[in-house]
Amino acid sequence: MANPVTATIRAYQMGFGDCFLLSFGYDDASARHILIDFGSTGMPDDTKVSLDAVAADIALQCGGALDIVVATHRHKDHISGFATGADGKGSGDVIRGLKPKRVIQPWTEAPDAPKGWKGPDGTKRANAFAAYQSSLENMHAVAQAVVDRLDRKDGFDPRWRLADRLRFVGEDNIKNLSAVKNLMTMAGAAKNNIFVYHGCVLDLSAILPNVTVHVLGPPTLQQSASIKTYAKSSDDYWLKARLLAALAATDNVSANKTSMLFPDLKSTDTFRKTKLPTEMRWVAERVDIAEQDQMLGIVTALDNVMNNTSVILLFEAGTKKLLFPGDAQLENWSYALQSDMADLLNDVDLYKVGHHGSLNATPKSMWKRFKKRGKTSTPERLKTVMSTMAGKHGGKNGAPTEVPRIPLVNELKADSTLFNTQDLKPTQLCQTITINLQ
Amino acid sequence: MTEIQPVRKLTIIAKDPGLRIGNDGPMVFAQVDVPAEILAPGPTGYRIKVVDYNATERRAYAARQSYQSGDILLDPFAPIEGEALTDRDYQVRVIGNPNFHAQNCYAIAMRTLGLFERALGRRVSWSSGGHQLHIVPHAFALANAFYSEPDRALMFGYFFDEEGKPIFTSLSHDVVAHETTHAVLDGLRSRYTEASGPDQAAFHEGFADIVAILSIFSLPEVVAAGLGITDKLPGVGEPLAFITEDKVTPAAIRDSILLGIGAEIGMATGAGRGALRQSVKLEPRPDILNDPDMAEAHSRGEVVVAAMAGAFVKMWTTRISHLGTFDGLGYNMTAVIEEGAKAAAQLLQMSIRAIDYCPPTDLDFGQFLAGLLTADRELVPDDSRFGYRELVRQSFGDFGIVPPPGQTDGDGCWPHFAASDALRYSRSNAEALTRDVDECFRFLWENRDALNITERGYTQVLSLDASLRIDPDGIPFRETICQYVQMGHFFGSELMAICKIDPLPEGFTTRTSADLFGGGVVVFDQYGRVKYHIGNGLIDGERQKRRLEYLRDNGQLRAQGGDERSRFANLHLARMGG
Ligand SMILES: [Zn+2]
Ligand SMILES: [Zn+2]
């Protein structure tokens, strides 16, 4: 059986998004190609790169056939490229035409609970599984409602300084039906869609010989119940949030002559925002902002929950280890880091920087495990690859929530060889990293 | 000419809309005392300004009630002729009117503020510097309610239950009293909202619940309903009513709605799982605070609530057991309720006065306990009659909360200031010392060595407050509470050299910088001499190291203040989400 001798990683310009083509070259001159995520929430202004151009390059590089597609989680910035076009010529149609043999996704995308998966108490699995998925659906709906409201003329106070951030996170969390459907069917038979969770056995030897693929995340509900920091995602909470967000997004709630909350009030007993008595104005302005801040808080919370559904894959080929954690954040990592799989991380050779360089997607306790970190002269020095665009996600520059987090970027630069899509020139498609596996 | 009314009565929903008379009976309304004043629309009074603006609907509801007719103070939502507080039609009518919600908030907030002012014997300011705190009873369609210092406001949201019925957080006495307490506590100790160790944020939450729970026991009809009594309480001269023993066992009281918070919200958000919080049911364990899931502020705060509620249950049931039973009938109900009111009032007063004896920064639970015991000893030097202090200390001890070892005396109280003779009073004017912050600062500064106040930071007197007490002969006298804080910006190398933190916490280098806080409370006796000095030193390495490690682990080390609103907003949002 052939052995892999090289790994080539192409990190495409996605603006804020991820798209990596991982190609293994074998000693019999054959190759295997794995596409890990393909999505963007917006390209840099000056780039000439488009999703179509990237799709075309992927087709070219893989010689017209993909072996595996990995969609780490359902965020737009990871799957929007899989959407098909009405004319059959969308970037997702191109990928579909490459006939991937397998599609790998987290268990949260499965139609039914996969084999071996366990609910919080290890028993009521079907119920818990369905409840969790309906939470995710409700989260999409909250995001949708928030974006709808941003679109409405008087939905949010236009002077609110965080409106762009809310729209960005909101849009990233809207359900991307076309991409989801395409992922469900592009590998042909349903059995070719594999839904993974921490510690599950992923046997890809038939299509990816002599490469071991470890699944470090996401944890199942049973596993995540054992770590208390796991994001609270009570089903009932998200159902309520969905109803409230939808209510707040309807035109009538502010446009009606009468109050929806107190329908018996005469219109003369209410004051529209524009006609408030003087003594109410100062605090009313602040209540508006407080409401908007909370919507941002809610959307940020659901964004985190979705990020924590990310598949974390560790490819072991020849003497090397390549780590692709999607957007996994601390809660997802926590389980992997306290499991007996954590030791696998010690000699990672390539690390795809989690969640576009946000602070809590590269937990200190993980980063510290990487033994190959070090100054430029370090032999076999760790390589890191990051796909990001500053100023889109998270807090303002300098805030701990900025993405990418500048102190983290500095550390990546100091202690690893960093490949950053932000450094690509406007005409450049991707960063290319080659790793000798021998 | 009519006599000026000393207080005004206003109708509120007592405890929580989830408290019903009998199983599915009417809600419990009560008429409570609030200060007499001529109210402007809102209602707007001298401390509270209700603005009924709804951000989700982008509209405000006009305040249309008359609160006075000439000099006669009115309660516009009092039942009309022939109506009772328990009539369903009355309740439906009142609840349908947003102006009632506004009044409910106003009255509960004023009542809560009044509890503090009475216990402390002085006015308590809001920390914003303003005189009126805004209350927004229908701020937004969100299951959240919070205090926001920069907005000078309490904001109450609303949401809907499974049947689409609106649930108003502004109708829950528990929630309104909790949020008002946040605001009052922030006025008393403005630094307790800073990032600190695990206990400080938790204390804000726990203390707010303690006040919310204990403040209801002064309303007899509410306590009766909470104990499951469906009959009206007997009035003066009417025959006694009785309560069976099974209704006042420690277990029954722990289970009762009286010791829970937010029954209706809890039912609506948690798919019928009961109150939002029922801290008293926490199983005592001396190591409970080390549990990883006790790190979140509300959960951790519940431990203090549980300790206090545990003491209350013990106190009340002990007092009940001293009442005789009537053969086959149980206890005299009125007496049972009175004993509860006394026990609650005692603990509430103790809790509020304790704040005067708590350091102004980086509070921990043990220090609060020492403050509690000290405050009570100041008020009632002899504990032998009821053994309250011993009971409180025991109850806190069950949860691993003990007075700071080595810094407190045998009673668990702060010791009197020992080096009083080393202090130089001669250059200070005793009268000015207790009235003027600059004069007081001069005294602290001149005596910085004896008081162990370091020069390695910036020191400021935050407040000078009078604390009125009564001596054993019944003569009132005044002590003065001075609150000062210290701030300093330190680099790792200075943490080592000056604070003696060696080795530095993991992750720190000699160039890592950190803001440290310290400060203390100096209590001057009636002669202007230092009686207590209760403080956290700015360069106390051991304590600062613990704080820095905690902040590091919680990603708060470099958190810029800035986002004051979101502190309580996010905390409470997550909590109601369960
Ligand atoms: Zn992403
Ligand atoms: Zn994501």
Side-chain angles (χ1 to χ4, degrees), chain A residues 155-156 236-237 240 253 256-261 268-271 273 279 282 286 288 291 293-294 368, chain B residues 49 53 55-60 62 64 134 138-140 144 146 150-151 158 160 268-269 506 565 577:
Chain A
F156 279 116
D236 190 63
Y237 174 77
K240 288 235 153 51
V253 68
N256 270 5
K257 266 202 146 40
T258 49
S259 160
M260 283 170 81
L261 186 61
T268 50
D269 282 336
T270 71
F271 306 108
K273 174 77 192 297
E279 69 273 17
W282 185 85
R286 285 159 175 270
D288 278 347
E291 190 212 14
D293 282 355
Q294 288 174 92
K368 276 194 263 162
Chain B
K49 175 179 166 90
Y53 173 72
T56 305
E57 291 202 340
R58 290 274 186 276
R59 77 182 86 221
R64 296 292 192 222
H134 294 93
H138 311 96
F140 26 65
N144 201 8
F146 55 86
D151 299 325
Y158 60 92
F160 301 90
T269 54
E506 205 183 318
R565 176 189 300 121

Side-chain angles (χ1 to χ4, degrees), chain B residues 327-366:
Chain B
D327 261 351
L329 296 169
Y331 297 106
N332 172 354
M333 191 161 68
T334 308
V336 163
I337 291 171
E338 268 168 19
E339 293 305 326
K342 278 185 213 156
Q346 173 78 15
L347 285 177
L348 192 55
Q349 163 147 308
M350 205 173 179
S351 302
I352 292 171
R353 292 188 74 117
I355 302 300
D356 273 351
Y357 299 89
C358 285
T361 61
D362 301 321
L363 178 71
D364 64 44
F365 292 165

Side-chain angles (χ1 to χ4, degrees), chain B residues 190-262:
Chain B
S190 58
R191 298 274 158 175
Y192 284 0
T193 55
E194 304 274 358
S196 175
D199 284 0
Q200 188 163 276
F203 176 74
H204 236 288
E205 297 305 328
F207 186 71
D209 273 0
I210 287 172
V211 174
I213 289 170
L214 294 178
S215 65
I216 215 70
F217 282 88
S218 57
L219 302 173
E221 61 275 40
V222 183
V223 179
L227 292 174
I229 309 294
T230 49
D231 304 332
K232 213 174 148 301
L233 289 176
V236 183
E238 289 176 7
L240 293 184
F242 298 96
I243 182 165
T244 51
E245 286 154 76
D246 59 308
K247 286 196 161 126
V248 289
T249 62
I253 292 172
R254 280 168 196 278
D255 277 344
S256 86
I257 189 171
L258 292 171
L259 292 186
I261 286 281

Side-chain angles (χ1 to χ4, degrees), chain B residues 182 192 197-208 289 294-305 363 365 550 571:
Chain B
H182 276 314
Y192 284 0
D199 284 0
Q200 188 163 276
F203 176 74
H204 236 288
E205 297 305 328
F207 186 71
L289 289 170
M294 282 298 162
E296 190 271 332
H298 274 96
S299 309
R300 195 173 186 84
E302 285 201 54
V303 177
V304 195
V305 183
L363 178 71
F365 292 165
Y550 176 80
L571 208 56

